[in-house]
Amino acid sequence: MIKYYLIKKETFESLNKDLITFKISNLDGDKIIIATTEIVNDRTRKFNNIDTCSNFTFTNHIDWVGDGTGVSVDDIQTTQYIKEIDN
C-alpha cells in the first residue's frame, strides 16, 4: 500500500529508493514529499491519503511550486520517481 510522507532531506537519504514511486522537493530543497510502500517513522508528517498530500501542496504552494498552484493528484500518480537520475 502506498503511503505519503513529508520528510527531511536527511531522512530521504536513508530510505530504500526502490520503494519510492513519487518524490518532490520543496523550493528550498530541505523538505521532500514522497510516495512509498516503505514505513517511514522519521517523518515530519504522514498524509492520510493522496488527496490530503496534494491539498497540502496547494495550501503551501509558496514552498512547493511558488506560482499559486500545487501538485495535483494526477501528477502524484503519473510522475514516476527514477532513482538513477535523482541527484
Side-chain angles (χ1 to χ4, degrees), residues 27-64:
L27 296 176
D28 289 339
D30 60 341
K31 296 175 189 161
I32 299 170
I33 292 176
I34 59 167
T36 182
T37 55
E38 186 172 357
I39 294 173
V40 180
N41 294 314
D42 184 14
R43 61 185 185 246
T44 304
R45 179 174 179 172
K46 179 182 177 189
F47 299 101
N48 290 330
N49 54 48
I50 194 170
D51 295 308
T52 307
C53 180
S54 173
N55 288 339
F56 177 84
T57 67
F58 279 89
T59 302
N60 300 283
H61 61 85
I62 197 73
D63 295 327
W64 297 95

Side-chain angles (χ1 to χ4, degrees), residues 3 5 13 19 26 35 39 45 60-61 84:
K3 298 166 217 49
Y5 299 103
E13 300 304 325
L19 302 178
N26 69 341
I39 294 173
R45 179 174 179 172
N60 300 283
H61 61 85
E84 290 82 7

